[in-house]
Amino acid sequence: MSEREFMEYDVVTVGAGPAGLAFAIRLKQLRPDLSVCVIEKASTIGAHILSGAVIEPQPLDELLPGWRDNPPPVCVPAGKDEFWLLSKAGGTKFPFVPPGMNNHGNFIVSLGALCAWLAPQAEALGVEIYPGFAAAEPYFNEDGSVGGVRIGDMGVARDGSHKPGYTPGIDIRAKVTVLAEGARGHLTKQLVRRFALDRDCDPQSYSIGIKELWQLPEGRVSPGRIVHTIGWPADSKTYGGSFIYHLDKDRVAIGYVSGLDYSDPLYQPYEAFQQLKHHPMIKPLLEGGSILSAGARAIVTGGWQSLPKVEMPGALLIGDTAGLLNVPKIKGTHQAMRSGMLAAEHLAQTLSPEGFDAKLRASAVMKELRRVRNVKPGFKKGLWFGLLNAAWETAIAGLSPWTLKNTPDWSSLHKLGQYEPPRRDYVERTLPPRDRLAGVYFAATEHDEDQPVHLKVADTSVCVTRCAEEYGNPCTRFCPAAVYEIVEDDAGKRLQINAANCVHCKTCDIKDPYQIIDWVTPEGGSGPNYQNL
């Protein structure tokens, strides 16, 4: 086999999200002489980015001091905060908003649009950005250290043969590789395993966030209004909550977050979100409106006790790939940007990952996570204990002498017949979309049907035997895009993978109870094409 072509840089960054772009900008500000490359698997910058998102502006103020004079296209100053406990028929407004959810001075943004706005500012400093290029695997030096990444081949058919336009992927070699892949990064997962980076921490945990952007009739939206809810449609044992952010131009962003540590194998995060929209306080807001875009993604929620070692020979982890989201604040963007800037300052001095783990752990990023480390795990004991525990931890600023443990999300599922299913008092739905397939349309997801399936199931016989019997095939319910389907034909029952529907949320990789699903990168440029999410 012929030697692959390669390009060489001082630093290659995998992922053009807020962490990767903040890192690249800061590094070029400090060391204009270094060659810096950012590769992004999405077709355009921001097309795979989905978040609430209310952001704290301080890291942006430090990174680009004049940004408020030329703000990103979706950027609404935060206004009134509200926090509600919902029942099926109504709700109770909390008399106060938890301190972490006080958004005075913050901004509601589209994180995708923010990244698309950041990218040209990075390029103006000399950063080379390549959207549509998926890092398929790490590239290793002869001594075993990470030496860059290998871009996936283009033009490979589903059966592995080469199509007429076949182009082998190139190697991008670098002195340092910075992984900013977001939650459950494909390369990060491999490198964490190879270098045992999680040896001294708890397993990582996640939630799934499902979001829609709506265009509403004139006069309904109060720009800057921020509403968070807990309670219905989740039962008291399932971690879940919603956000409703009022934007400009009669638009509203609405989403629902389900903790992936849920125990009921029959639970459907997508259906819970659609139910929320039909709550009597929310349905009148949306009725008569239309969906502009929609999508889903995993949210990393393990926090302080689940942080792996963030350095290894030749590479380091930043942002959601490391797991820096602050759960009580429901915010990770400021943490992602801060970690990226910290990594840039470290590499500007040393051009070596060595010492970055200690630097991150001694920083304000980790101090913030340590204060709230016990909040999310407290909800494993139910909503009411979780709320009391959160109030306690907030009151004492996280100074409890204990640290609650995280366990893998896949291990929490009950087996059918061995638990009492919670009562789901759901209502009839009338708002769009009618089902998950209709929701995929609003994600504008695109995959060439004739490419290798990027959802690798190690043993599909498990699906129609053990999994069907023990759990009732939860993959057909936890996937928000109807990728997994059990079909029956003349040959019997089998798993059908509708890979073209995939919105790259990684839920299957996280929640599968047998851990036999491996999400790998499809051909570069594939996947959702989110607009203003």
Side-chain angles (χ1 to χ4, degrees), residues 445-465:
T445 196
E446 283 183 35
H447 297 81
D448 182 350
E449 296 270 4
D450 188 21
Q451 66 168 297
V453 173
H454 66 281
L455 302 145
K456 309 290 186 185
V457 182
D459 181 1
T460 55
S461 69
V462 170
C463 307
V464 292
T465 52

Side-chain angles (χ1 to χ4, degrees), residues 157-441:
R158 196 180 182 101
D159 63 4
S161 63
H162 293 174
K163 293 189 278 192
Y166 171 74
T167 312
I170 64 169
D171 289 335
I172 299 187
R173 301 178 188 174
K175 296 184 179 82
V176 182
T177 302
V178 175
L179 294 150
E181 299 181 283
R184 194 70 165 193
H186 159 61
L187 299 188
T188 302
K189 194 170 78 160
Q190 297 175 50
L191 294 170
V192 165
R193 194 180 301 132
R194 181 183 176 107
F195 292 103
L197 301 179
D198 57 353
R199 184 174 47 217
D200 301 320
C201 66
D202 285 358
Q204 191 54 268
S205 63
Y206 301 86
S207 296
I208 178 174
I210 306 174
K211 177 184 177 183
E212 293 171 356
L213 179 66
W214 280 68
Q215 183 72 55
L216 299 183
E218 193 175 341
R220 281 192 203 170
V221 174
S222 308
R225 185 183 177 201
I226 293 171
V227 180
H228 290 102
T229 78
I230 54 172
W232 191 87
D235 62 274
S236 64
K237 293 178 181 174
T238 303
Y239 183 85
S242 82
F243 61 85
I244 305 168
Y245 299 155
H246 290 242
L247 303 169
D248 55 1
K249 300 177 183 175
D250 298 302
R251 295 176 295 182
V252 69
I254 180 168
Y256 193 76
V257 174
S258 294
L260 287 178
D261 56 356
Y262 66 81
S263 57
D264 177 12
L266 303 178
Y267 180 65
Q268 301 178 66
Y270 186 85
E271 181 60 29
F273 173 42
Q274 299 306 323
Q275 287 289 321
L276 170 93
K277 287 159 48 183
H278 289 76
H279 188 274
M281 284 172 47
I282 298 171
K283 189 178 179 182
L285 174 71
L286 301 177
E287 265 182 321
S290 57
I291 301 173
L292 297 174
S293 55
R297 64 157 286 185
I299 303 165
V300 61
T301 58
W304 186 80
Q305 53 271 60
S306 292
L307 186 84
K309 191 175 181 185
V310 295
E311 68 178 67
M312 67 204 91
L316 50 84
L317 313 177
I318 58 174
D320 265 5
T321 256
L324 301 176
L325 181 124
N326 180 324
V327 174
K329 279 188 178 181
I330 330 176
K331 289 182 185 61
T333 304
H334 67 292
Q335 293 277 87
M337 294 185 75
R338 277 203 197 288
S339 69
M341 292 157 70
L342 195 71
E345 287 153 15
H346 177 74
L347 293 183
Q349 294 175 326
T350 66
L351 204 55
S352 164
E354 198 173 337
F356 177 63
D357 186 77
K359 189 167 280 188
L360 182 69
R361 289 177 195 275
S363 74
V365 172
M366 287 306 287
K367 186 178 179 184
E368 181 173 318
L369 287 189
R370 192 176 195 287
R371 286 178 62 143
V372 300
R373 71 193 183 283
N374 287 329
V375 174
K376 171 68 169 62
F379 283 91
K380 287 186 185 293
K381 296 186 178 178
L383 175 64
W384 303 113
F385 179 88
L387 287 173
L388 282 171
N389 176 66
W392 161 259
E393 291 289 339
T394 302
I396 64 165
L399 291 174
S400 296
W402 57 81
T403 296
L404 300 178
K405 303 289 283 180
N406 286 325
T407 52
D409 293 323
W410 58 265
S411 68
S412 60
L413 273 187
H414 292 314
K415 291 183 178 177
L416 296 172
Q418 296 183 10
Y419 74 108
E420 187 178 336
R423 182 167 154 259
R424 301 233 178 269
D425 47 353
Y426 284 176
V427 300
E428 187 179 346
R429 297 205 273 112
T430 56
L431 293 171
R434 65 182 181 279
D435 57 24
R436 287 181 292 176
L437 279 182
V440 169
Y441 168 79

